Amino acid sequence: MSSEKASLPMMAVANLNRDADSRIFNWKQFLKFFLTLAIVYIWGSIYPLSSLIGIRRDVTPPLGIPKKIQKHWGQYAPWFPVEKYKRPPKGCEITQVNILQRHGARYPNSYDSYDESIKRLMEADKFVDSKLDFLSEYEYDLEEEELLPFGASQSFGSGETVFRRYSHLVNAKNIPFVRSSGKSRAIHSATNWTVGTPLKCLRFTTPSEHRHDPGIGFAAASHHRYNPILSVVVPEEQNNTLNNDCPNAGDGTKQKRAWLKVFAPPIAKRLEKAAPGAKVSNDDVFNLMAMCSFETLAKERGSEFCQLFKDREFKMFGYHGDVEKFYKTGYGEPLGPVQGVGYVNELLARLTGRPVQDHTQYNSSLPFPLGRSLYVDFTHENLMVAVYSAMGLFNISDNPLSTKKMEKESNRVWIASKMVPFSSRMVVERLTCSGRKKMHGPKLVDFDDEDWEDEHEHEHEESEGGGRQAGEHVRVLVNDAVQPLDFCHAGKGGICSLDAFVESQDYARRSGDGDFEKCYN
């Protein structure tokens, strides 16, 4: 290409190529080109470009493991939308949003013994299954506790999605109020959500950690017109509404061990046969299966541990997470729901604009502003399960999970990977409904990745809301799935009146009917 052509805009060059004999500069095309740039710039100052062209960045990127397997990693699954987000029905306008979000994907906890289980398998005299050959040179190199780069990207994407979906609620005087529980992984998730840029705590050191666009976070999505900060960090050493705490409560160990005894022994026997001389316990089976998730998310590529197990075995592994959460802070533990009461009472205060009425975990010495339109709290999965149970979501208390037999997934409501995966989120929307046809913020294309597209037809379908009366209403979404809210007689679209919702939370409004005191006495 000549230097003359190189100095011209691309569109002008294309025109010259189509007419090689012509050397006359086409000012019409030149003007159109720059007008197009101007339009893109103007729109880009209002909404992120990703929103305009239909890119969705809060969706799990390819990890080298089929999504059908990822869905059976229980609470160790990466976030995925359970359903396509549906806007409120016509005539309803969102006036407030409350988000409770789990921290992003993390490294194993310090007390996990995954490396020890791997060592026991590596002590085999030999490997007779080629799927184990990778262990001959394997070195365990996962860190502990902290947020993964992948987990940071989940918060970036979530912040961008919230801005895109609810930007009409924000202005210079009313920006999101953000809190976090005191663990570093929760704090970093919160700051990544707000700022949307890698922080000092994150170390992007390997090529695999750059495989996908992590999203740009809330502030960056707004082009830094709105810059929310992490306003409150609640130490976990003290009782608080963002961390479950009940010393006298069970932790689900008995029930999850019972289920482990059902599904793990045949797997242990098969591994011992493939690795003669190795001694594999039931706990080792769980740890090796958990490595499939943790190593895949840490390396952002498929872990070799995944190939050691069958699809049905991962289903049983996922059910182990269902059992643990149900009997730890869920309906299966008598003192489980009360651990979520404090947050529910804070939620009611925000929805109604009235001071918090709570005698459990609420700390009145900490900032707690009312009258905001967007609240975001970062926490852990066990607290989220307690909140679900205190509110009455996923209520299977009349049909508790069996520790002897796993029902078909289609017959189950309580599924940890759909309730509390890494970066899971519960969203409570307050609506003002009048019956008039209104827009509910910008109608933007929001595509998901192809694995989900064929399951749901339209990202921004409007939910049905027949039979509702004018006034303030509430709907609850968990990982984008609208919850039925039968406990407050919700109509179509999972919408019930604000008064009915508040009335339905009588267990929380009574501060747990004395259950909180049982935690300590």
Side-chain angles (χ1 to χ4, degrees), residues 22-37:
S22 174
R23 293 294 182 268
I24 301 174
F25 186 77
N26 193 325
W27 284 103
K28 276 190 177 181
Q29 295 293 350
F30 184 82
L31 184 59
K32 285 182 180 179
F33 175 72
F34 280 99
L35 281 175
T36 301
L37 286 180

Side-chain angles (χ1 to χ4, degrees), residues 368-379:
F368 192 82
L370 298 175
R372 298 289 184 92
S373 57
L374 184 53
Y375 297 92
V376 189
D377 296 310
F378 286 84
T379 183

Side-chain angles (χ1 to χ4, degrees), residues 146-376:
E146 298 299 332
L147 193 69
L148 290 168
F150 179 87
S153 74
Q154 291 179 303
S155 296
F156 296 154
S158 172
E160 181 183 354
T161 293
V162 170
F163 176 76
R164 183 171 63 239
R165 192 172 287 174
Y166 302 116
S167 59
H168 63 288
L169 296 178
V170 184
N171 57 53
K173 295 182 179 180
N174 196 347
I175 62 174
F177 182 76
V178 183
R179 301 185 304 173
S180 173
S181 189
K183 279 278 189 181
S184 61
R185 56 181 177 258
I187 294 172
H188 294 154
S189 293
T191 52
N192 290 332
W193 186 96
T194 58
V195 178
T197 54
L199 299 179
K200 186 177 180 180
C201 63
L202 304 175
R203 295 177 296 282
F204 295 91
T205 56
T206 65
S208 66
E209 292 165 353
H210 294 283
R211 288 185 178 179
H212 60 90
D213 185 341
I216 59 177
F218 191 96
S222 73
H223 294 271
H224 293 281
R225 285 180 296 151
Y226 311 121
N227 296 287
I229 62 171
L230 175 56
S231 298
V232 178
V233 175
V234 187
E236 295 190 1
E237 293 76 23
Q238 59 186 256
N239 207 332
N240 73 83
T241 57
L242 297 181
N243 185 44
N244 61 293
D245 182 41
C246 181
N248 292 337
D251 62 1
T253 296
K254 177 182 177 181
Q255 292 83 3
K256 66 182 182 182
R257 285 199 172 279
W259 175 243
L260 195 62
K261 289 180 180 178
V262 172
F263 85 89
I267 302 175
K269 184 178 292 187
R270 191 185 76 242
L271 291 174
E272 288 180 344
K273 185 177 180 180
K279 300 296 182 183
V280 181
S281 68
N282 290 344
D283 287 335
D284 291 332
V285 169
F286 175 85
N287 290 345
L288 294 169
M289 296 187 80
M291 278 297 294
C292 173
S293 169
F294 279 103
E295 192 168 67
T296 295
L297 297 179
K299 309 289 187 182
E300 296 192 32
R301 57 172 173 75
S303 168
E304 289 90 343
F305 286 100
C306 300
Q307 65 186 348
L308 303 182
F309 307 100
K310 303 173 183 178
D311 288 6
R312 174 164 174 76
E313 291 170 347
F314 275 114
K315 290 180 181 180
M316 294 187 287
F317 174 80
Y319 187 70
H320 182 278
D322 303 346
V323 169
E324 177 188 346
K325 299 310 168 189
F326 182 77
Y327 289 102
K328 188 170 186 175
T329 55
Y331 296 105
E333 165 52 48
L335 297 180
V338 74
Q339 298 176 62
V341 160
Y343 178 83
V344 174
N345 283 328
E346 289 182 334
L347 173 64
L348 296 179
R350 290 167 169 174
L351 290 170
T352 61
R354 301 167 187 164
V356 179
Q357 300 294 321
D358 179 74
H359 301 289
T360 62
Q361 302 113 314
Y362 174 65
N363 186 342
S364 60
S365 68
L366 297 175
F368 192 82
L370 298 175
R372 298 289 184 92
S373 57
L374 184 53
Y375 297 92
V376 189

Side-chain angles (χ1 to χ4, degrees), residues 272-480:
E272 288 180 344
K273 185 177 180 180
K279 300 296 182 183
V280 181
S281 68
N282 290 344
D283 287 335
D284 291 332
V285 169
F286 175 85
N287 290 345
L288 294 169
M289 296 187 80
M291 278 297 294
C292 173
S293 169
F294 279 103
E295 192 168 67
T296 295
L297 297 179
K299 309 289 187 182
E300 296 192 32
R301 57 172 173 75
S303 168
E304 289 90 343
F305 286 100
C306 300
Q307 65 186 348
L308 303 182
F309 307 100
K310 303 173 183 178
D311 288 6
R312 174 164 174 76
E313 291 170 347
F314 275 114
K315 290 180 181 180
M316 294 187 287
F317 174 80
Y319 187 70
H320 182 278
D322 303 346
V323 169
E324 177 188 346
K325 299 310 168 189
F326 182 77
Y327 289 102
K328 188 170 186 175
T329 55
Y331 296 105
E333 165 52 48
L335 297 180
V338 74
Q339 298 176 62
V341 160
Y343 178 83
V344 174
N345 283 328
E346 289 182 334
L347 173 64
L348 296 179
R350 290 167 169 174
L351 290 170
T352 61
R354 301 167 187 164
V356 179
Q357 300 294 321
D358 179 74
H359 301 289
T360 62
Q361 302 113 314
Y362 174 65
N363 186 342
S364 60
S365 68
L366 297 175
F368 192 82
L370 298 175
R372 298 289 184 92
S373 57
L374 184 53
Y375 297 92
V376 189
D377 296 310
F378 286 84
T379 183
H380 305 274
E381 81 273 20
N382 291 322
L383 185 278
M384 293 187 72
V385 170
V387 169
Y388 296 158
S389 302
M391 287 179 63
L393 301 176
F394 308 105
N395 193 345
I396 59 167
S397 54
D398 293 336
N399 186 27
L401 292 185
S402 171
T403 59
K404 298 179 180 179
K405 182 180 179 181
M406 178 180 67
E407 292 187 27
K408 291 182 179 180
E409 184 172 323
S410 58
N411 296 332
R412 289 185 278 126
V413 173
W414 189 277
I415 300 173
S417 64
K418 293 183 177 181
M419 297 166 59
V420 287
F422 286 127
S423 196
S424 55
R425 56 214 69 161
M426 179 186 77
V427 178
V428 180
E429 297 175 340
R430 188 183 68 193
L431 314 171
T432 296
C433 300
S434 64
R436 296 192 301 270
K437 295 183 179 180
K438 282 188 175 183
M439 291 300 294
H440 324 286
K443 185 175 182 180
L444 303 174
V445 181
D446 194 6
F447 295 114
D448 208 334
D449 61 348
E450 60 184 9
D451 289 76
W452 309 113
E453 279 180 350
D454 57 4
E455 296 180 17
H456 312 281
E457 291 183 9
H458 303 290
E459 171 67 19
H460 281 296
E461 292 178 343
E462 291 184 350
S463 58
E464 298 180 74
R468 70 177 183 279
Q469 296 178 344
E472 290 191 309
H473 294 73
V474 171
R475 73 169 184 167
V476 179
L477 303 94
V478 175
N479 300 318
D480 281 358

